[in-house]
Amino acid sequence: MTSSFPSNCLRRCRIGSSILLSSAASSTPETISGKAAAGAPIVGTVWVKDSNGTVRNSAIELDGSYSLNVTGMTAPLLLNARGTVGGRTVNFSSIAQNADLGGNINITPFTDLIMANVIGQITQNYFDSPNFAQLSDSQVEAARAQV
């Protein structure tokens, strides 16, 4: 599979900020899905962590797609794709907000760069010890505009 990142990638990559996902009492599971890729699909796992520290994961499909049940999780949600692309180990992150629920949240080098601009550091270690106070709507929008 070949992949290019057209100029509208940031719109399709959807990266956002703080919100609250609806309650776990909902009868329909809430999901987020998307593609995890870096020129080609990432072979590995997508992890999601909410602001309360709840963590879930899902395998990335051969085409780079993933889907995660986020019912009852509190945003912002950090997403992290870890695996390999062409034999090279990769670790990319993204951020999901309530408006992204049911939509696509891609995890790519571009979403990783946006998140790095928001947090002021490389993202690889941030997932393990996040500071959710850094993830305000305005900070994320400003970082998105820079990329």
Side-chain angles (χ1 to χ4, degrees), residues 4-147:
S4 62
F5 294 96
S7 61
N8 67 351
C9 176
L10 291 179
R11 176 167 283 148
R12 291 186 301 124
C13 291
R14 294 294 304 215
I15 183 166
S17 61
S18 313
I19 43 70
L20 178 65
L21 300 178
S22 64
S23 72
S26 173
S27 61
T28 304
E30 295 170 326
T31 62
I32 53 175
S33 59
K35 297 275 185 170
I42 295 172
V43 176
T45 304
V46 170
W47 299 81
V48 62
K49 180 182 276 187
D50 77 354
S51 60
N52 293 324
T54 302
V55 177
R56 296 181 186 161
N57 67 63
S58 178
I60 301 169
E61 300 295 327
L62 293 177
D63 66 353
S65 64
Y66 73 90
S67 182
L68 288 159
N69 180 332
V70 294
T71 302
M73 296 184 86
T74 303
L77 302 177
L78 299 178
L79 290 101
N80 185 259
R82 301 174 191 180
T84 60
V85 174
R88 184 176 57 106
T89 301
V90 296
N91 183 331
F92 297 120
S93 296
S94 191
I95 305 168
Q97 60 184 5
N98 198 32
D100 299 321
L101 190 61
N104 288 321
I105 293 78
N106 294 329
I107 306 168
T108 70
F110 288 116
T111 62
D112 194 75
L113 177 59
I114 292 167
M115 188 166 155
N117 286 340
V118 171
I119 62 175
Q121 63 180 330
I122 61 170
T123 64
Q124 293 174 343
N125 299 328
Y126 188 80
F127 187 84
D128 296 328
S129 300
N131 175 0
F132 286 93
Q134 292 179 294
L135 305 177
S136 74
D137 290 343
S138 61
Q139 289 170 314
V140 173
E141 289 303 318
R144 185 185 302 168
Q146 290 177 357
V147 177

